[in-house]
Amino acid sequence: MSFTQYRVVLTGVLNPGVTQEQAIEAIAQLFNTQPERVSQAFTQAPIAIKKDVDLPTAQRIQNALSQSGVMVDIQTMEGEAVSSGQPQDVSIKGDQQTSKGSDELQRYDMPGLQFSIEGRPDYAFLTVQLPKNETLKVEASAMATMDTHIVMKTKIKGGLGRLLTSESLFINEFTAENGPGEIGIAPGTPGDLAHVHLNNETIYLQNSAFVASSSSVITETKWQGLAKGFFSGESLFLIRCSGNGDLWFNTYGGIIMLDVDGDYVVDTGNIVAFTEGLDYDITKVGGYKSLFFSGEGFVCRFKGKGKVWIQTRNVGAFLHWVEPFRPVESSSSDD
């Protein structure tokens, strides 16, 4: 005897009076997951967030999500529509939300690896759940904890390019052999972590931003050119991350994602990442007098349509601030 299985599809359509930010937060609480994962699912909607369930389970998930402010459809696994969610006059009230996640809701099928981020935004710490035989690429020296059956291998990534960036020359690969495992990752700088699930997409990272990625994500260095590299005061290379899978990157300070449509200017020291399709040029923010006396330097002028991630603190500005407080050993001469 065979039973019909169903899938629950997130449509991305919101109930009246509900913002996407409210829906994302409510769904994240309902599924006990990170808002970044729900946000990524919204960008890929319509997307199946639960598969291979019976009809009563699919209906319970549909009802719970409708109270979170978003419309969901129920379909057969072949894509035949069974039930379409209808807009309801539902407003979300934060902690007063009454729907609670059942066991069925906890086992969601959003794309990517299961993970959590703690200690944000000041000292973000990443924990990733690795399925059996799954491999995670991690920036060298970033691993903090792991299960004993996770095996590490070190590989050279980017060759001479990685060496010239002043980055670690090696990326470690961690594989959960003989069973699923957990790995904890602590970036070197104090600040936040961002997660993106790439779907045949490309993101460029500043040379110090890469933290970890799925083994299916291709990481390589991209030459900026002498003009852009030398005059920006930053690295001559960017890290190009492309393909399909999870990508995590870190910041110094908090992180803000900006939607760019047209022209936008960002100080080079505050850039963390940006999506492919954005053109950029490095220019002075003012004249040479401004460059030396205003405290401002070079900026990146983005053009096009895409996303830019910036950090709320600038390493160069911080070093300039602490310089007067740096103890200096006085020299003495014998009479």
Side-chain angles (χ1 to χ4, degrees):
M1 179 180 296
S2 61
F3 297 91
T4 302
Q5 296 293 94
Y6 300 87
R7 64 185 183 186
V8 181
V9 177
L10 179 72
T11 65
V13 179
L14 302 175
N15 288 336
V18 177
T19 67
Q20 182 168 305
E21 290 74 15
Q22 289 175 320
I24 288 173
E25 184 64 30
I27 295 173
Q29 293 180 8
L30 190 66
F31 281 84
N32 191 27
T33 187
Q34 294 293 322
E36 290 87 349
R37 302 197 70 199
V38 182
S39 178
Q40 188 69 23
F42 264 92
T43 65
Q44 300 176 11
I47 182 174
I49 59 172
K50 188 63 185 173
K51 303 176 183 177
D52 295 315
V53 296
D54 57 28
L55 187 56
T57 298
Q59 289 172 334
R60 286 197 295 272
I61 297 174
Q62 183 186 46
N63 291 336
L65 288 175
S66 66
Q67 294 185 45
S68 297
V70 64
M71 289 174 54
V72 294
D73 293 343
I74 298 176
Q75 302 175 355
T76 64
M77 291 302 297
E78 292 74 28
E80 181 181 352
V82 175
S83 173
S84 296
Q86 298 298 321
Q88 304 176 24
D89 188 10
V90 177
S91 60
I92 299 175
K93 298 181 179 179
D95 295 337
Q96 298 178 10
Q97 176 77 12
T98 57
S99 295
K100 301 296 182 183
S102 64
D103 291 339
E104 291 86 358
L105 291 178
Q106 302 297 329
R107 298 192 295 270
Y108 51 90
D109 293 309
M110 291 181 185
L113 299 169
Q114 302 289 323
F115 72 95
S116 63
I117 300 177
E118 302 172 89
R120 64 193 325 175
D122 300 319
Y123 299 98
F125 184 90
L126 172 65
T127 303
V128 181
Q129 306 297 327
L130 285 179
K132 180 181 178 180
N133 298 324
E134 185 74 26
T135 297
L136 187 72
K137 297 191 292 189
V138 180
E139 172 66 357
S141 76
M143 188 280 295
T145 63
M146 68 178 185
D147 287 329
T148 55
H149 61 277
I150 293 180
V151 177
M152 184 189 81
K153 293 181 180 180
T154 300
K155 290 190 174 183
I156 297 176
K157 303 296 292 184
L160 180 62
R162 287 284 285 178
L163 181 62
L164 292 177
T165 62
S166 299
E167 277 292 280
S168 303
L169 184 59
F170 302 103
I171 286 182
N172 296 328
E173 294 187 350
F174 295 86
T175 303
E177 295 186 353
N178 304 318
E182 179 180 283
I183 180 171
I185 301 168
T189 58
D192 208 349
L193 274 166
H195 167 263
V196 175
H197 188 273
L198 298 178
N199 183 19
N200 290 320
E201 298 165 305
T202 298
I203 287 182
Y204 292 98
L205 305 179
Q206 277 287 13
N207 64 320
S208 60
F210 177 83
V211 172
S213 73
S214 303
S215 58
S216 54
V217 173
I218 301 170
T219 55
E220 54 192 347
T221 54
K222 177 183 180 296
W223 171 251
Q224 291 193 75
L226 290 176
K228 288 184 178 180
F230 280 123
F231 289 106
S232 70
E234 305 297 329
S235 168
L236 297 177
F237 289 85
L238 295 171
I239 300 176
R240 184 179 187 269
C241 303
S242 60
N244 293 276
D246 295 289
L247 172 66
W248 292 271
F249 49 92
N250 72 307
T251 65
Y252 174 53
I255 189 167
I256 300 173
M257 186 186 72
L258 304 171
D259 288 310
V260 176
D261 189 359
D263 297 343
Y264 205 80
V265 177
V266 182
D267 187 286
T268 55
N270 290 89
I271 300 171
V272 178
F274 58 92
T275 54
E276 188 176 49
L278 283 172
D279 294 326
Y280 69 99
D281 291 304
I282 306 299
T283 62
K284 301 187 300 294
V285 70
Y288 282 104
K289 182 182 293 185
S290 298
L291 175 65
F292 289 105
F293 297 106
S294 70
E296 301 295 338
F298 289 94
V299 297
C300 185
R301 296 183 181 272
F302 289 101
K303 295 181 180 179
K305 186 176 180 62
K307 297 182 183 297
V308 176
W309 287 263
I310 66 171
Q311 58 191 14
T312 60
R313 294 293 181 270
N314 184 314
V315 175
F318 175 71
L319 293 176
H320 179 75
W321 180 80
V322 300
E323 176 63 23
F325 304 97
R326 185 173 65 89
V328 178
E329 183 178 351
S330 60
S331 60
S332 60
S333 59
D334 294 332
D335 292 330

